[in-house]
Amino acid sequence: MVNYVWLFMMVFGILVAGAQGNIEVVTKAALDGAQVAVKTSLSLIAIITFWLGIMKLAEAAGLVQALAKLVRPVTAFLFPSVPKEHPAMGAIVMNLSANILGLGNAATPMGLIAMQELQKLNKQSDTASDAMCTFLAINTGCITLIPTTIIGIRVLYGSQNPTEIVGTTVFATCCGMLVAILADRLLRGLYRNRW
Amino acid sequence: MYELINQISRWAIPVMLLVIPLLAFIRKVPVFETFVEGAETGFSTAIKTIPFLTAMLVAVSIFRASGAMELLASWLSPILSVIGIPADILPHAVMRPLSGGAALGIATEIIKTHGPDSFIGRLASTMQGSSDTTFYVLTLYFGSVGIRKYRYAVASGLAADFTTLIASIIICNLMF
C-alpha cells in the first residue's frame, strides 16, 4: 500500500504542477524534501546514541526486564508473538510512556530500540512482522496527554481558555487508538489467510 | 491534573538519568563501559534511516508544493461536507498523516484566521493534538531496521487517522 501512496503523491503532484503551469516547483520541492530528510536523520544521531547508551545501562541493571514483567498482562494480549519478558516489551512501554508525557526526544530513540529488539525476533528481515505492525499501530495512535505546541499557538492568538482542547484531544486519541488495535487484529488475520 | 502531568514531564528524564546509572552501579555493572557499548550503534541506526526518509519526504514535498494537496482537498470537500466535515479543515486532515510541520502550519493558519476559540479553531487544535504523522513514523521506524515491506501497517495507521478525524468532529460538536 505504501507503494501506491508514494506513487500517487509523486505522479499527481507532478501532473498538477504541470497543468497549473508551475512545473519548476517540482525540482525544487524534490531537493528540499531530500534536504529535510537528511537533516532529520543526522539530527537523530545525537539523541539515538545517547539513549542507546542509557537503555543499555537500564537493561544491564535489569530495569527493562522488570518493566516488561510489570506490564505483561497487557503486552501478552497485544503481542502474542513476542516471548514474555523480552526486552522488546520494556522498550515498547518506555516508548509509549515517553510519548504520553510528551518527551519527544526520548520517545523516538526508545521506539527505534524497540524496533531493533523486534527485528531480532523477525524471521524475514525485509518484511514487517506482526508484532511490528501492532507496535506501530499503537505508537502512531498514542500521543501526548498535553499537546504543548498547539496550546502555545492558542495562547499566542489570544485564546480565552487555551487548554480546553485537552479533553477533546484525549477523547479523539482514544477512539483512534481503539480502531488502530482493532484494525491491526483484523488485518493480521486477513493477511495470514492470504499468504 | 494539568499541572501534575506537566511536573511529571519535567522530572521524568532527569530522574531516569539519576536512577538508571545508580542502580546499574549497585548491581555491579561497569557503567561507563556499558553505556559506550550500547551507544556504539547509534550512528549507524540514524544513518540507515536516510534513504527511507528521503523517499518519503521528497514525495510529500512535491505533493504539497505543487498544489496537488489543495486540489485534492477541494475535490473531496463536497463529498465530505455531506457527512458534516467542514471544508476548511480538509487540507489539515489530508496533511496530518504526511507531514507534521506542514500540518502544524495549516493548523496555525486556521487558528490565526478564525480565532482559537472559534469552532474550526478548536477543531483544528484537537486534530493537531490527537494524531501523529503516521507516514513519517512508519518510514523512520521501519527504515531504522531496514524493513521495506510494510504489509498492513499503512492500512491500520490510516484507519486510525480517519477515526481520529471523525471522533474530533463529533466531540467538538458535542462539547463546543
Side-chain angles (χ1 to χ4, degrees), chain B residues 15-47:
Chain B
V15 168
M16 273 176 70
L17 297 186
L18 178 74
V19 171
I20 292 171
L22 263 182
L23 205 76
F25 181 73
I26 293 167
R27 297 202 171 154
K28 307 220 166 19
V29 174
V31 284
F32 181 79
E33 290 158 42
T34 308
F35 181 98
V36 173
E37 194 196 318
E40 222 167 39
T41 55
F43 186 79
S44 56
T45 306
I47 294 303

Side-chain angles (χ1 to χ4, degrees), chain A residues 6 13 29-30 41 49 61 95 101 116 119 126 128 130 132 140 143 146 154 157 159-160 164 168 173 179 184, chain B residues 2 9 27 39 45 49 55 58 61 66 108 112 116-117 122 125-126 129-130 132 141 145 147-149 151-152 163:
Chain A
W6 192 81
S41 293
T49 303
N95 164 263
L101 290 174
Q116 286 179 353
Q119 181 72 334
D126 69 336
D130 288 355
M132 286 174 178
T140 54
I143 49 86
I146 310 284
R154 292 174 60 79
Y157 291 105
S159 172
Q160 297 299 310
E164 69 183 352
T168 53
T173 302
V179 169
D184 174 67
Chain B
Y2 174 65
S9 299
R27 297 202 171 154
T45 306
T49 64
V58 163
S61 179
S66 64
T108 308
K112 200 167 107 186
D117 298 330
R122 285 159 163 165
S125 309
T126 303
S130 61
D132 208 339
Y141 280 36
V145 288
I147 282 180
R148 295 190 300 272
K149 294 175 186 148
R151 290 169 73 214
Y152 53 89
T163 309

Side-chain angles (χ1 to χ4, degrees), chain A:
Chain A
M1 188 172 179
V2 71
N3 290 313
Y4 297 118
V5 175
W6 192 81
L7 191 72
F8 171 76
M9 285 195 289
M10 296 286 281
V11 171
F12 189 55
I14 294 166
L15 291 180
V16 169
Q20 292 184 341
N22 45 2
I23 192 73
E24 63 283 349
V25 301
V26 172
T27 318
K28 189 180 176 300
L31 293 174
D32 285 349
Q35 194 80 255
V36 173
V38 172
K39 275 189 189 149
T40 309
S41 293
L42 290 182
S43 69
L44 280 173
I45 296 174
I47 55 167
I48 292 177
T49 303
F50 166 65
W51 280 106
L52 276 172
I54 291 292
M55 286 293 282
K56 188 82 186 175
L57 272 182
E59 217 183 299
L63 280 169
V64 181
Q65 297 86 327
L67 191 64
K69 202 170 177 175
L70 199 71
V71 294
R72 210 172 56 187
V74 185
T75 51
F77 166 72
L78 287 171
F79 301 96
S81 58
V82 178
K84 287 167 187 160
E85 290 166 48
H86 191 272
M89 290 304 154
I92 288 173
V93 173
M94 292 181 85
N95 164 263
L96 297 179
S97 317
N99 249 338
I100 292 169
L101 290 174
L103 311 171
N105 274 343
T108 305
M110 282 166 183
L112 298 186
I113 292 166
M115 289 301 281
Q116 286 179 353
E117 293 293 338
L118 291 176
Q119 181 72 334
K120 288 179 194 163
L121 300 168
N122 192 2
K123 290 183 193 80
Q124 281 172 284
S125 65
D126 69 336
T127 307
S129 67
D130 288 355
M132 286 174 178
C133 290
T134 310
F135 172 50
L136 284 177
I138 299 173
N139 178 288
T140 54
C142 165
I143 49 86
T144 170
L145 271 181
I146 310 284
T148 41
T149 314
I150 200 75
I151 291 173
I153 290 167
R154 292 174 60 79
V155 171
L156 185 70
Y157 291 105
S159 172
Q160 297 299 310
N161 188 359
T163 58
E164 69 183 352
I165 49 96
V166 172
T168 53
T169 301
V170 171
F171 173 83
T173 302
C174 290
C175 293
M177 183 113 132
L178 205 67
V179 169
I181 295 170
L182 286 174
D184 174 67
R185 270 291 149 106
L186 202 73
L187 290 165
R188 187 194 295 171
L190 280 177
Y191 266 66
R192 192 152 299 152
N193 292 335
R194 254 170 74 186
W195 286 287

